């Protein structure tokens, strides 16, 4: 029987993953280890509070004592989601990114060695590959070329993971996924920021010319990929996941306006993000061929469901758009 340490389980993808895995596997036990930063929210898993196979421990992945205490709960596997995850925040201050994403990963890898695990899964990102031109795709062998402090910290973590596999034989797997969307995403990322602003008739800030391209995947498709990589991934391997759904930001923005019945006058073109990666696009054929995985949620369906989720969770949104959020928003966007 598996008792999995899921780090960062109170964030967007981690909370979706825990809910998904507990329902998909009637035997798995999950210990959710999360520091509850600005992005971590116990309300994201309120429905699981009394679940017999779920437990929450508050702790910091960069703190060895916290991590050792969690590992002493009979952990058999680690799935490491915890991270500082927002590019724009990493441009304001890269310190927390290096601490959590690099040192936190090193601490977890040491703990995985010390306690022994069946599998260590590192949740990485397609952003470690850098930026594409108008053609081509990221494969697992594309050289790492991170451009933002966020993606540099994630790439550094990936290199440590591969070194621990190579040097110590740790049974690691790395997943690199494209941009996720879905319920419980913190409204600093494009889709939830724009939906929640538009629901309140607030303007939406499009960076630069708006023709930067992202490859969108529903969070549950990512969760299914992480499960497959955990169960069937070969130690030492990397698996890319993507939605085969490329879209320029301005096209996505106009689609959101249309679905929400809002006027295009709410679009604000603002100064571009420094170092803004032009295009991400994932070749996920390795995961399709070797893990039996494929993205299942059509973008139109997933996006409509996501909009409906935010419409019915405005109290959740209001609790997040607190004083700290307003300060961040002001610093990032000023007056729109
Ligand atoms: P998120 O920001 O929503 O959640 C991060 C979680 O990690 C929060 O619950 C936070 O409290 C926790 N955390 C942060 N620092 C911590 C620390 N020092 N110790 C313990 N917990 C800490 O992030 P997300 O969007 O759910 O992303 C999860 C993972 O997936 C990240 O590793 C990210 O790089 C990766 N990823 C995200 C996307 C995406 O589109 N969101 C795409 C590919 C990969
Ligand atoms: P984001 O959701 O921050 O994800 P990432 O930078 O990790 O891809 O941004 C997605 C795209 O949307 C990216 O090209 C930047 C752009 N963007 C805006 O145009 N305006 C915004 O306010 C934000 C947050 C993002």
């Amino acid at each position: 029987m598996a008792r999995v340490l899921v780090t960062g389980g109170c964030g967007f993808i981690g909370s979706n993953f825990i809910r998904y895995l507990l329902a998909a596997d009637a035997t798995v036990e999950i210990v959710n280890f999360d520091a509850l930063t600005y992005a971590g929210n116990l309300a994201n898993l309120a429905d699981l509070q009394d679940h017999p196979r779920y437990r929450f421990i508050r702790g910091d992945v960069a703190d060895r004592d916290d991590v050792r205490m969690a590992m002493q709960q009979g952990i058999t596997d680690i799935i490491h989601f915890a991270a500082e995850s927002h590019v724009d925040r990493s441009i304001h201050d890269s310190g927390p990114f290096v601490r959590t994403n690099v040192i936190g990963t090193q601490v977890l890898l040491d703990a995985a060695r010390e306690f022994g695990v069946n599998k260590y899964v590192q949740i990485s990102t397609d952003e470690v590959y850098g930026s594409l031109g108008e053609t081509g795709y990221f494969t697992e062998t594309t050289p790492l070329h991170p451009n933002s402090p966020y993606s540099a910290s994630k790439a550094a973590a990936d290199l440590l993971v591969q070194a621990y596999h190579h040097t110590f034989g740790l049974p690691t797997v790395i997943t690199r996924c494209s941009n996720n969307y879905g319920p419980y995403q913190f409204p600093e990322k494009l889709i939830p920021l724009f939906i929640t602003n538009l629901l309140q008739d607030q303007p939406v800030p499009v960076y630069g010319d708006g023709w930067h391209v992202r490859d969108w995947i529903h969070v549950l498709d990512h969760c299914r990929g992480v499960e497959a990589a955990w169960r069937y991934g070969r130690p030492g391997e990397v698996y890319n996941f993507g939605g085969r759904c490329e879209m320029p930001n301005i096209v996505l923005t106009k689609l959101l306006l249309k679905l929400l019945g809002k006027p295009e006058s709410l679009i604000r073109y603002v100064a571009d993000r420094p170092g803004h990666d032009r295009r991400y696009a994932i070749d996920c054929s390795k995961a399709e061929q070797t893990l039996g995985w494929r993205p299942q949620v059509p973008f139109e369906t997933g996006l409509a469901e996501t909009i409906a989720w935010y419409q019915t969770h405005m109290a959740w949104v209001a609790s997040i758009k607190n004083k700290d959020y307003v300060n961040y928003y002001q610093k990032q966007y000023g007056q729109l």
Side-chain angles (χ1 to χ4, degrees):
M1 205 181 60
R3 183 173 293 176
V4 184
L5 186 75
V6 173
T7 70
C10 294
F12 163 48
I13 306 174
S15 61
N16 277 285
F17 179 75
I18 290 174
R19 187 174 292 103
Y20 162 76
L21 192 63
L22 283 173
D25 179 338
T27 64
V28 73
E29 296 181 356
I30 294 181
V31 176
N32 172 12
F33 182 82
D34 195 298
L36 298 180
T37 68
Y38 81 92
N41 190 345
L42 280 175
N44 293 0
L45 288 170
D47 52 319
L48 297 180
Q49 208 172 272
D50 301 318
H51 194 290
R53 292 181 284 117
Y54 168 76
R55 214 185 131 188
F56 172 67
I57 296 179
R58 185 171 189 173
D60 177 355
V61 287
D63 183 307
R64 282 181 190 275
D65 293 335
D66 283 2
V67 169
R68 292 191 85 252
M69 197 257 288
M71 290 302 292
Q72 280 158 1
Q73 311 301 310
I75 298 302
T76 60
D77 299 80
I78 297 176
I79 304 184
H80 179 33
F81 290 91
E84 288 292 336
S85 69
H86 191 41
V87 173
D88 292 325
R89 288 185 193 254
S90 81
I91 294 169
H92 289 297
D93 180 8
S94 61
F97 288 75
V98 173
R99 183 176 182 281
T100 288
N101 300 0
V102 186
I103 298 176
T105 297
Q106 182 221 352
V107 168
L108 272 179
L109 288 165
D110 281 343
R113 280 189 69 211
E114 178 184 347
F115 288 84
V117 291
N118 296 327
K119 192 72 81 58
Y120 173 100
V121 183
Q122 177 76 7
I123 309 303
S124 184
T125 165
D126 62 350
E127 302 194 28
V128 297
Y129 297 122
S131 184
L132 290 165
E134 278 177 23
T135 57
Y137 294 90
F138 296 134
T139 73
E140 288 79 358
T141 55
T142 301
L144 302 191
H145 195 296
N147 289 317
S148 71
Y150 162 66
S151 54
S153 68
K154 294 293 289 184
D158 284 13
L159 293 179
L160 277 172
V161 172
Q162 282 172 322
Y164 273 61
H165 171 73
H166 184 80
T167 308
F168 306 114
L170 197 69
T172 64
V173 164
I174 296 175
T175 67
R176 296 188 181 134
C177 190
S178 63
N179 287 60
N180 285 217
Y181 70 96
Y184 297 101
Q185 187 166 26
F186 195 90
E188 63 187 352
K189 308 279 167 55
L190 186 139
I191 288 183
L193 174 66
F194 283 20
I195 294 174
T196 57
N197 277 12
L198 292 174
L199 283 172
Q200 296 180 313
D201 295 307
Q202 300 294 318
V204 289
V206 174
Y207 295 156
D209 64 2
W211 286 93
H212 300 78
V213 173
R214 295 296 183 264
D215 172 1
W216 295 97
I217 183 171
H218 192 272
V219 64
L220 281 181
D221 278 331
H222 184 193
C223 292
R224 282 186 271 267
V226 170
E227 182 195 16
W230 167 53
R231 292 192 194 283
Y232 313 120
R234 267 187 45 201
E237 294 287 317
V238 175
Y239 296 93
N240 283 352
F241 297 107
R244 295 195 190 282
C245 177
E246 284 183 58
M247 202 172 283
N249 293 336
I250 190 62
V251 174
L252 173 55
T253 303
K254 288 184 178 172
L255 178 60
L256 288 170
L257 286 164
K258 190 167 146 235
L259 291 171
L260 283 154
K262 303 292 178 183
E264 293 196 2
S265 56
L266 285 172
I267 296 175
R268 297 283 184 281
Y269 286 96
V270 299
D272 207 355
R273 170 187 282 173
H276 196 174
D277 284 337
R278 192 66 177 172
R279 175 171 168 258
Y280 301 148
I282 277 275
D283 177 347
C284 52
S285 50
K286 176 177 172 183
E288 290 177 336
Q289 282 156 22
T290 63
L291 299 176
W293 169 93
R294 66 192 60 252
Q296 293 172 26
V297 183
F299 189 61
E300 305 69 40
T301 318
L303 197 60
E305 283 172 9
T306 301
I307 289 173
W309 188 88
Y310 282 94
Q311 275 169 327
T312 53
H313 288 76
M314 285 309 277
W316 179 91
V317 173
S319 74
I320 283 176
K321 291 199 173 184
N322 56 23
K323 206 164 127 252
D324 287 347
Y325 179 91
V326 172
N327 287 340
Y328 164 75
Y329 197 86
Q330 184 64 32
K331 188 168 157 190
Q332 177 64 21
Y333 301 104
Q335 199 60 41
L336 285 179

